[in-house]
Amino acid sequence: AAQRQQDELWLSQFLSRRRAAPLAPPPPPPVAACPSGARELLVAALGPVARLAGLCRTLRQREAEGDEAGWAQARDEAEEARRQLQEAVRPLREPGYREALQRKAEKARKRRQRLQRRKQEARAAREEEAARAAEREAKIDQWRAKCIQEVKEKNREQELKAAADSVLSEVRKKQADTKRMVDILLGLEKLRKLRKEAAGRKGVCPPPWADEEFETQVESLKTLLKSRTELYEAEERALRVMLEGEQEEERKREIEKKQKREREKLLQQKLEIDSKLFGNPDEFPLAHLLQPFRDYYLQAEHSVAALIQIRHEWDRYLVPADHSEGSCIPPGWVLPTLPSSDTWATAVR
């Protein structure tokens, strides 16, 4: 009976509080589904959830202790916390909210992926442009170094030629001086002879030792001038040989440069023809699969027997250029013609 009275008292108190409680405000309008709003709702629900968990523990403790009043108060607070939690998560339970939230989250994810892909493409484009710029710079540096080397070689050749010309001019000047000295010596001999003849007509004769001394000095000078002349002629021949050697080296270098340019041009043409016939080896990763075919078609370059056999097979079809039933064999590869339509061009590409 006492328990029944307590229950009735608690029920009357509970009903009086429910009647005295103010009316709940009308629910707010539905919240638009968006990831940020859902995140805010979940953060706002953390407080009531934590409070409700604490009140549940309190209820179990009050029930274990047999405290009816404390249990009733904790129950009321738990009801209030549950109502707040339901109010906080009410937008999440609205029909279509979850689907709309999933659609917006998927849209945001795709947008992030699209932005990330654009960033990656932009980064790849920048890296490719940087690689192309570096390649252009390397080619420019190589071309500049080549030009500088050619200018240095040309300047060195000009300097050597100028030095050789200078030395040759000095040698020629010395030869001219030697020849002038020889002419002066001959003039002195002729002058002495004329003066001796004039003195003889006057009855004045020089002593014999004077003639001998003069002849000795003249012969000594002639010997000296002759040795100088031979020395200068040897120097001139050596310089001429050196100049001819330099000119020959220059001609050889020019010929080698011309041959190198021709080889590079022929190699470039061969690469273009091979690219048109067999594809670009850089773009075709399975180029090694074509190696047996290359070996087959190039076997004549490595075997005389294969060359004779292939030549024998080709010679059976040789005809004059003006033959009415055929044409002569082309000297090189027969390149494909350009596509006749855009559709065929797309198929070729």
Side-chain angles (χ1 to χ4, degrees):
Q3 183 65 31
R4 184 177 180 183
Q5 291 178 358
Q6 290 180 359
D7 292 339
E8 290 177 356
L9 178 62
W10 175 84
L11 181 60
S12 62
Q13 292 177 355
F14 176 75
L15 292 177
S16 63
R17 287 198 300 271
R18 290 292 300 271
R19 286 192 298 268
L23 296 176
V31 182
C34 63
S36 59
R39 189 181 301 109
E40 292 177 358
L41 291 175
L42 293 176
V43 171
L46 290 177
V49 168
R51 184 182 176 191
L52 188 60
L55 290 173
C56 290
R57 289 193 298 270
T58 304
L59 284 172
R60 286 193 293 269
Q61 183 179 3
R62 296 290 185 271
E63 185 178 2
E65 295 175 355
D67 186 1
E68 296 292 339
W71 184 85
Q73 184 178 1
R75 186 185 59 182
D76 295 341
E77 293 177 358
E79 289 288 338
E80 182 65 22
R82 185 176 65 82
R83 186 184 62 78
Q84 292 179 359
L85 179 60
Q86 289 179 348
E87 184 65 24
V89 300
R90 182 184 59 82
L92 299 178
R93 303 177 65 181
E94 292 180 357
Y97 184 87
R98 184 181 302 175
E99 290 77 6
L101 184 62
Q102 290 179 352
R103 287 195 300 270
K104 289 191 176 182
E106 183 67 18
K107 185 176 180 180
R109 186 182 65 82
K110 290 182 178 179
R111 181 173 179 274
R112 287 194 301 271
Q113 291 180 352
R114 186 169 59 253
L115 293 177
Q116 186 176 4
R117 186 170 59 253
R118 288 179 180 177
K119 289 181 180 179
Q120 292 177 355
E121 292 175 355
R123 183 167 61 253
R126 288 195 299 270
E127 292 177 354
E128 184 178 359
E129 181 63 25
R132 287 198 298 266
E135 185 178 359
R136 288 195 299 269
E137 290 293 334
K139 290 182 178 179
I140 292 173
D141 294 339
Q142 185 178 2
W143 173 79
R144 186 185 296 115
K146 183 179 178 181
C147 293
I148 292 174
Q149 184 65 23
E150 291 178 355
V151 171
K152 287 182 178 180
E153 291 180 358
K154 188 176 293 184
N155 292 336
R156 184 170 61 253
E157 292 170 1
Q158 291 178 356
E159 290 175 359
L160 291 174
K161 187 176 180 180
D165 292 340
S166 177
V167 175
L168 184 60
S169 63
E170 291 291 334
V171 171
R172 288 176 178 175
K173 183 179 179 182
K174 292 177 181 179
Q175 288 178 344
D177 293 340
T178 305
K179 186 177 180 181
R180 186 170 61 254
M181 293 175 66
V182 171
D183 294 339
I184 292 173
L185 188 58
L186 293 176
L188 287 175
E189 289 181 344
K190 187 175 182 180
L191 179 62
R192 188 177 186 280
K193 182 179 179 181
L194 292 175
R195 287 184 177 180
K196 184 178 179 181
E197 291 176 354
R201 286 194 296 270
K202 293 179 181 179
V204 179
C205 294
W209 60 266
D211 293 337
E212 293 177 358
E213 186 176 356
F214 180 77
E215 292 294 336
T216 303
Q217 293 291 336
V218 169
E219 290 297 330
S220 176
L221 291 174
K222 284 183 178 181
T223 303
L224 178 61
L225 293 175
K226 184 179 179 180
S227 63
R228 291 292 182 87
T229 302
E230 293 177 352
L231 177 62
Y232 296 153
E233 288 178 354
E235 290 182 359
E236 183 181 4
R237 286 194 300 270
L239 289 173
R240 288 188 180 278
V241 169
M242 185 178 68
L243 290 176
E244 291 177 359
E246 289 292 334
Q247 292 175 358
E248 184 67 22
E249 291 292 333
E250 178 65 22
R251 286 194 294 270
K252 288 183 180 179
R253 282 193 291 269
E254 291 295 333
I255 293 173
E256 289 177 357
K257 289 180 181 179
K258 186 176 179 180
Q259 292 177 352
K260 183 178 179 181
R261 288 194 296 268
E262 291 295 332
R263 287 195 300 269
E264 291 178 352
K265 185 178 179 180
L266 292 176
L267 180 60
Q268 184 65 27
Q269 292 178 355
K270 183 178 182 300
L271 291 177
E272 292 178 358
I273 292 174
D274 291 345
S275 175
K276 291 180 180 179
L277 293 174
F278 304 108
N280 191 352
D282 296 334
E283 298 178 357
F284 188 59
L286 302 178
H288 61 280
L289 297 178
L290 297 178
Q291 190 61 34
F293 302 96
R294 296 177 186 269
D295 295 339
Y296 174 76
Y297 286 109
L298 298 178
Q299 60 181 334
E301 298 182 1
H302 309 285
S303 174
V304 178
L307 174 61
I308 295 173
Q309 178 65 25
I310 294 172
R311 183 59 187 265
H312 175 69
E313 294 177 357
W314 275 95
D315 288 346
R316 292 188 300 174
Y317 300 97
L318 289 178
V319 295
D322 56 350
H323 199 275
S324 60
E325 296 182 359
S327 60
C328 60
I329 299 174
W333 291 103
V334 179
L335 298 179
T337 58
L338 297 176
S340 59
S341 63
D342 295 339
T343 305
W344 176 241
T346 56
V348 172
R349 287 196 294 269

